[in-house]
Amino acid sequence: MPKNKKALKAQRKLKAKGSFYELGAKVLERLEQREGSIKSLTVGNSKMPDDYKRNIYALICQTLKLAPVLTRILDSSEEVKKLKFSRQMLLLLTHDLLFAKGGLWNKGADPNINRTIRPFRKEFMNELDKIRQEMGAKCDEDLVPEHLRNDKLTFRYVRVNTLVWTTDKVVEHFVKDSYELVAPSRDEMRSALEVNTRRFMRDLDMNDVLVFPPGTDLHAHRTYVVGAIILQDKGSCAPAHVVQPAPGSTVLDACAAPGNKTSHMASLMGNKGKIFAFDKNQSRLDTLVNLTDKAKCKIIEAKCADFLELDPLAPEYADVERVLLDPSCSGSGIVNRLDELVDWYIAMITNTAEEKPKVDTRRLQSLAEFQTLAIRHAMRFPGVKRISYSTCSVHEEENEAVVARVLEGQHEFALAPADQMIPSWPRRGLVTAGLTKEQAASMVRMLPEDGSNGFFVACFERQAPADLDRIRSELHEAKSASNGSAAPTKSAKDADAKKTKRKHTDGSKGDAKAHKQKRAKPAQEVVPTTKNKGKKRPKRKVSVADA
């Protein structure tokens, strides 16, 4: 029958690509060679069978966390060393043999591989019991290095995409799906949203955000599939609320990829107005276009360009009233970052692992210089009234110190008042050199102990008209400082005339040092998402981004 033929064809296709554990081992090998991220090599990998993606993604994450224990177990067995399996495959097989609830994976797995490793279970369990006793581990989570356990601190935050469904409709859908809506106080959230419970709540500070227990996986939920919810951390939702984009206005997202903040602004604007979205890395910009298309955004004009090389006096930017600036930072506030997990794993297998990463003060200084440059450039747009500045860093050097440096010696902008900065949120900025207590109170800080990733948000509000003579002078100085290279203030018109000759540099938000070494040439324009109908676009890789 035709159905049987179709099924056989699908099975042959899967077999040709490799069995479950073979594909997983290839992902681990590629991670060790830094050929991609966990997500891009699994859930974002178009060449991997859809039936495998989520399961291999989960297996890789858990195997990396338990890698020291799994390695020790494998090293204790002389017989297992005689097997012709790669180290990566043995790690994955040993994980499932000992820790997976259902044991070894059968669907799509090679039965010969499973049959070969299964007899080692008793030997491996004996060694695991010794390790548990030595570590005083009461549960499997205690076997994970302490600095890798803190992903349990963070709740699963969900932003409602009001371009698709209202918040009330999303809440109603989850209730119908047997999720219990609770309403705890801030101090009661931990107990109300325990791990592995089907509960959720409305966020206490932002009306389009919902909160679920840590570890809640909603990738397969209908609300996510149809684009009604965006998996986005709480801190990442704050900048769009703070910058206050009005429907019908023109706003600019300076370092926009992967696009969650961009789509949030489109949602708050009700798809009315215009959003310029810039990123100097074409691949990341493609991700932004894909994600914002899925989110039903229709007012975004995405361009591959370096924000610092935009001409703020160009006529096309004359109506820009808001700038959302989320530049490159150390990422020190992200506690469940998958690339950090990979970095730690590579350090472990190369014998360079440390219990706690050291702070690179030179890099922080370089980042702070770049962040300061970016804010000052945003202030040169003569029509801009409000600029949000945010980082996913917990370091004062990238946050309050940068704000203090920007405020010093200028009178056109001041910090927005505290009652416009997520006023119900209790944790505020630090009082540092150059800032008053009142100014610190007008900034927002979030830390992992608050149940979210570490995040910082400040907002600059125009107090006086733009000094056009000063702006022209600064732009002229910047051009002179480029030592004969392409001027950093090319208008879009000039850029379009030469875009076919330009090459793009990698990295959407590089630090100040990198920026000085090699500036991305501006303005290869990507067809706006509102005007793509009937026009061919290059194929783009769909990436899952929760940031």
Side-chain angles (χ1 to χ4, degrees):
M1 295 177 65
K3 286 187 177 180
N4 289 340
K5 289 182 179 180
K6 189 175 181 180
L8 286 171
K9 186 177 180 181
Q11 288 176 2
R12 291 193 194 102
K13 187 177 179 181
L14 292 180
K15 189 174 182 180
K17 292 186 175 182
S19 70
F20 180 81
Y21 288 111
E22 288 173 324
L23 289 175
K26 289 178 183 177
V27 170
L28 208 49
E29 290 173 11
R30 294 184 67 185
L31 286 172
E32 292 175 11
Q33 299 301 318
R34 297 191 182 278
E35 294 180 8
S37 66
I38 299 178
K39 285 184 176 179
S40 68
L41 294 175
T42 54
V43 294
N45 187 353
S46 60
K47 295 182 179 180
M48 181 173 287
D50 291 339
D51 291 346
Y52 292 175
K53 290 181 178 181
R54 300 301 318 170
N55 293 300
I56 290 181
Y57 167 80
L59 173 59
I60 293 292
C61 290
Q62 293 307 313
T63 298
L64 293 184
K65 288 183 178 181
L66 290 166
V69 172
L70 297 172
T71 300
R72 178 173 167 180
I73 290 171
L74 290 170
D75 288 345
S76 70
S77 174
E78 293 300 324
E79 290 300 315
V80 82
K81 294 176 184 177
K82 300 176 183 179
L83 299 179
K84 296 182 179 180
F85 296 153
S86 68
R87 173 178 53 82
Q88 293 85 358
M89 185 180 291
L90 284 172
L91 285 171
L92 301 177
L93 288 167
T94 305
H95 174 275
D96 277 5
L97 190 66
L98 301 179
F99 296 99
K101 291 181 180 180
L104 291 171
W105 187 261
N106 290 314
K107 184 180 178 182
D110 187 331
N112 293 323
I113 294 176
N114 289 7
R115 195 179 302 117
T116 302
I117 199 68
R118 195 171 283 117
F120 289 91
R121 189 176 191 281
K122 184 176 180 180
E123 179 185 352
F124 288 176
M125 281 300 300
N126 289 336
E127 185 65 24
L128 179 58
D129 289 340
K130 293 179 185 178
I131 296 173
R132 281 182 174 139
Q133 191 172 9
E134 289 178 14
M135 297 179 65
K138 297 179 181 179
C139 62
D140 291 342
E141 186 70 17
D142 293 338
L143 297 172
V144 178
E146 187 173 356
H147 67 284
L148 297 179
R149 295 180 212 164
N150 49 14
D151 58 324
K152 292 188 70 174
L153 292 172
T154 59
F155 296 109
R156 161 55 76 190
Y157 288 95
V158 165
R159 174 172 64 81
V160 176
N161 180 12
T162 54
L163 297 177
V164 178
W165 286 2
T166 65
T167 302
D168 288 342
K169 183 175 179 179
V170 171
V171 168
E172 181 181 349
H173 190 87
F174 275 107
V175 170
K176 287 182 178 179
D177 196 24
S178 301
Y179 281 84
E180 180 187 358
L181 179 63
V182 295
S185 66
R186 203 178 299 276
D187 294 335
E188 298 170 332
M189 286 177 63
R190 287 280 176 206
S191 57
L193 298 176
E194 293 181 349
V195 177
N196 297 326
T197 58
R198 290 178 70 86
R199 293 178 178 174
F200 75 112
M201 63 178 284
R202 294 176 184 264
D203 186 69
L204 299 174
D205 308 293
M206 288 176 269
N207 58 13
D208 56 356
V209 176
L210 304 176
V211 194
F212 290 78
T216 302
D217 187 357
L218 297 171
H219 286 91
H221 198 270
R222 181 170 181 263
T223 53
Y224 177 78
V225 173
V226 302
I229 63 170
I230 309 291
L231 305 182
Q232 186 172 350
D233 193 66
K234 177 168 182 167
S236 179
C237 297
H241 281 290
V242 163
V243 80
Q244 298 177 359
S249 63
T250 301
V251 302
L252 188 152
D253 194 343
C255 307
N260 281 336
K261 299 178 188 70
T262 321
S263 69
H264 194 185
M265 288 197 292
S267 179
L268 294 176
M269 296 166 69
N271 257 344
K272 297 177 181 179
K274 187 173 187 177
I275 299 175
F276 290 106
F278 295 97
D279 201 281
K280 68 180 185 180
N281 181 277
Q282 185 64 55
S283 177
R284 286 173 55 85
L285 194 74
D286 289 345
T287 297
L288 177 145
V289 172
N290 284 333
L291 292 179
T292 53
D293 279 353
K294 180 183 175 182
K296 305 296 189 289
C297 302
K298 299 179 180 178
I299 59 171
I300 298 170
E301 184 172 319
K303 292 185 178 182
C304 186
D306 183 345
F307 171 67
L308 288 183
E309 297 198 10
L310 296 182
D311 180 1
L313 299 181
E316 63 181 312
Y317 306 128
D319 295 329
V320 171
E321 297 180 355
R322 302 283 195 272
V323 173
L324 189 151
L325 179 60
D326 187 66
S328 176
C329 72
S330 65
S332 56
I334 301 179
V335 296
N336 54 357
R337 197 170 188 170
L338 294 178
D339 57 354
E340 182 180 346
L341 182 60
V342 174
D343 289 343
W344 179 84
Y345 167 71
I346 293 174
M348 185 205 75
I349 62 177
T350 55
N351 296 317
T352 58
E354 297 180 357
E355 279 300 310
K356 190 175 182 180
K358 293 181 180 179
V359 175
D360 187 341
T361 54
R362 292 181 64 183
R363 181 168 183 262
L364 286 184
Q365 181 180 359
S366 179
L367 286 166
E369 290 174 0
F370 168 75
Q371 292 152 356
T372 303
L373 285 173
I375 298 173
R376 286 173 175 165
H377 193 64
M379 290 177 171
R380 292 174 181 144
F381 287 77
V384 72
K385 299 176 182 177
R386 202 171 176 91
I387 303 166
S388 69
Y389 169 66
S390 58
T391 74
C392 52
S393 171
V394 297
H395 296 307
E396 182 180 331
E397 294 91 331
E398 299 178 89
N399 299 332
E400 291 88 352
V402 167
V403 171
R405 190 180 301 117
V406 170
L407 290 175
E408 183 181 7
Q410 65 86 35
H411 66 280
E412 289 185 11
F413 287 86
L415 289 173
D419 61 4
Q420 297 178 16
M421 298 291 295
I422 321 291
S424 58
W425 179 253
R427 192 182 297 278
R428 315 309 283 185
L430 303 176
V431 179
T432 190
L435 293 178
T436 66
K437 187 175 181 180
E438 182 182 6
Q439 287 174 319
S442 68
M443 293 177 275
V444 173
R445 259 186 176 267
M446 296 182 186
L447 296 178
E449 50 260 46
D450 299 322
S452 70
N453 285 318
F455 211 84
F456 173 85
V457 189
C459 186
F460 300 92
E461 197 171 50
R462 183 173 291 282
Q463 304 295 305
D467 185 339
L468 296 180
D469 290 337
R470 176 187 58 79
I471 293 173
R472 292 190 185 98
S473 175
E474 289 177 354
L475 294 175
H476 178 73
E477 289 177 7
K479 182 177 180 179
S480 300
S482 64
N483 295 323
S485 62
T489 57
K490 294 277 188 182
S491 68
K493 181 177 179 181
D494 295 332
D496 286 340
K498 297 182 178 181
K499 68 180 179 182
T500 56
K501 299 181 181 180
R502 291 191 172 119
K503 297 180 181 179
H504 304 297
T505 57
D506 289 334
S508 64
K509 305 177 183 177
D511 58 28
K513 184 177 180 181
H515 191 83
K516 291 176 181 178
Q517 291 174 343
K518 188 173 184 180
R519 289 227 174 173
K521 296 184 179 181
Q524 179 187 352
E525 185 171 342
V526 174
V527 180
T529 56
T530 52
K531 302 176 183 177
N532 278 341
K533 294 182 179 179
K535 296 188 178 182
K536 292 184 179 179
R537 272 204 224 128
K539 291 183 179 179
R540 302 180 175 96
K541 295 179 180 179
V542 178
S543 170
V544 178
D546 294 357

